[in-house]
Amino acid sequence: MSFTAQVKDELARVVPGCGACEKATLAALVRIEGTLFVSGPDRYRVEIATDAPAAARLVVRLLHSIYRLKTNLTMRRSVLHKTPNYLIEVPAQAHLADSLRDMGVLSVEGGLEMGIKESLVARPCCAAAYLRGAFLGSGFISNPKSDFHFEITVESESLAAGLVELLARKDIGARIMQRRNSYMVYLKSGASILEFLAWTGAHQAALSMEEERVVKSVRNDVNRMINAEMANQAKAAGAAVGQIHTIRTVVEHYGMEELPPALQDFIRLRVTYPEASLKELGERANPPLSKSAVYHRVRRIEQMAAEIEAGK
């Protein structure tokens, strides 16, 4: 089961916060996944398609319990895709038009409602319930082991703007991107996605995602430390190669015995431990030397080599 399917399965089982929450969830599902057919004045039928079995069960249950509507459920299997698709047909019936107006699908004037009916989302719990239904309808969330990505796709720009406004009530900053004839409301921030999951009731999914965030953070910290250490080692190795070249120039010119004892000791240490840092060379000296003391010897040898090169 994909992570999106896990989230939808959990959201479909959330206990509503108040008596109006389930209506908000159903309204979002019908708005996003439903197709409206008109057969005459104030005479409609609706088809709702979803590939989430939990969402299909929820839609049927709510249509029956809230509006007493008759429904037909058909499971279809695509030739190209092995996953089943569920078609919920709501045939023309006496009080369907009033139900659609109550859900904010039809406006009072008789046309299609473009935005979100405010009475459905007036309470914070109902706003969360509407977003829950929107995600159940067309939501997608990537596996938290990969890059964080969250989206809900709708056909109306005004509906997309309404979803963004609902998310903003919880300080969740979402953006809208037009994709051909649809509009995508998306989140890229892991913290924002976590906030959405927790607010809409997908607590298990939020915990799973938080665990992955911690693992990613630790892995990134370790990688940064390893990269920094490798960079330091490469830098130290490059410096050591340069120092050995400089030492060869000085020793060939003056002879080892003619150099001051402090420089002789440093030369022996550097040649013996070519990959060691200056700090490590100082620790190996007898008596031990500070890093600055070792660096002073390096600078002295480099100066002598520069004088030799200048005199040629």
Side-chain angles (χ1 to χ4, degrees):
M1 183 184 291
S2 68
F3 191 66
T4 297
Q6 292 177 39
V7 173
K8 288 186 177 183
D9 188 67
E10 185 175 2
L11 289 178
R13 304 172 193 277
V14 173
V15 177
C18 73
C21 284
E22 289 190 324
K23 183 189 292 184
T25 300
L26 176 62
L29 273 162
V30 174
R31 281 291 303 276
I32 292 172
E33 292 291 78
T35 302
L36 185 66
F37 299 90
V38 184
S39 57
D42 220 24
R43 186 171 177 80
Y44 307 93
R45 68 182 181 87
V46 179
E47 291 184 358
I48 305 159
T50 177
D51 57 2
R57 289 192 296 269
L58 181 64
V59 168
V60 171
R61 181 175 68 80
L62 295 182
L63 286 172
H64 290 175
S65 63
I66 298 175
Y67 296 108
R68 308 298 180 186
L69 291 170
K70 298 176 182 179
T71 62
N72 299 312
L73 175 63
T74 305
M75 187 183 77
R76 304 174 297 180
R77 191 176 296 273
S78 169
V79 176
L80 298 177
H81 307 287
K82 294 183 178 180
T83 55
N85 180 273
Y86 302 88
L87 177 65
I88 303 155
E89 296 178 276
V90 186
Q93 46 200 291
H95 54 291
L96 177 55
D98 290 336
S99 301
L100 293 172
R101 292 188 187 95
D102 193 50
M103 285 187 278
V105 177
L106 293 176
S107 66
V108 177
E109 294 77 15
L112 291 175
E113 186 74 58
M114 291 294 103
I116 298 174
K117 188 177 180 180
E118 181 56 34
S119 61
L120 291 170
V121 294
R123 297 178 182 177
C125 59
C126 293
Y130 197 95
L131 289 168
R132 189 157 58 240
F135 187 86
L136 282 166
S138 64
F140 168 81
I141 182 170
S142 62
N143 190 314
K145 293 182 179 179
S146 61
D147 293 336
F148 296 128
H149 181 75
F150 169 102
E151 65 180 60
I152 297 174
T153 303
V154 298
E155 294 185 356
S156 162
E157 185 177 10
S158 56
L159 180 55
L163 294 178
V164 169
E165 191 276 326
L166 290 184
L167 290 165
R169 295 183 188 182
K170 199 68 175 177
D171 295 326
I172 301 174
R175 296 183 179 182
I176 299 174
M177 177 186 296
Q178 186 172 3
R179 182 189 288 168
R180 296 180 182 175
N181 296 324
S182 61
Y183 297 86
M184 180 180 72
V185 177
Y186 68 95
L187 302 172
K188 279 289 188 180
S189 162
S192 296
I193 298 172
L194 269 175
E195 184 71 23
F196 173 89
L197 293 174
W199 187 30
T200 55
H203 300 295
Q204 290 300 318
L207 286 173
S208 298
M209 184 173 172
E210 182 59 23
E211 288 176 2
E212 288 299 330
R213 286 186 73 199
V214 171
V215 170
K216 282 184 179 180
S217 177
V218 172
R219 185 184 297 121
N220 290 338
D221 288 343
V222 170
N223 287 338
R224 278 193 295 269
M225 291 172 63
I226 291 174
N227 291 337
E229 182 63 25
M230 291 178 65
N232 289 336
Q233 289 179 0
K235 183 179 178 181
V241 170
Q243 290 164 18
I244 291 174
H245 177 75
T246 302
I247 287 169
R248 183 179 295 112
T249 300
V250 172
V251 171
E252 288 177 353
H253 184 81
Y254 290 104
M256 188 70 166
E257 295 76 12
E258 300 300 322
L259 297 175
L263 295 185
Q264 292 184 34
D265 291 342
F266 168 74
I267 290 171
R268 292 190 185 95
L269 284 169
R270 172 48 78 201
V271 173
T272 305
Y273 305 103
E275 297 180 355
S277 65
L278 296 184
K279 181 181 178 182
E280 291 169 340
L281 290 179
E283 292 171 350
R284 292 179 181 277
N286 187 18
L289 300 171
S290 66
K291 181 179 178 180
S292 60
V294 177
Y295 183 68
H296 177 75
R297 288 160 174 74
V298 173
R299 294 292 299 150
R300 176 62 184 136
I301 291 176
E302 289 176 345
Q303 184 180 0
M304 293 171 67
E307 291 172 354
I308 293 168
E309 293 294 332
K312 288 183 179 180

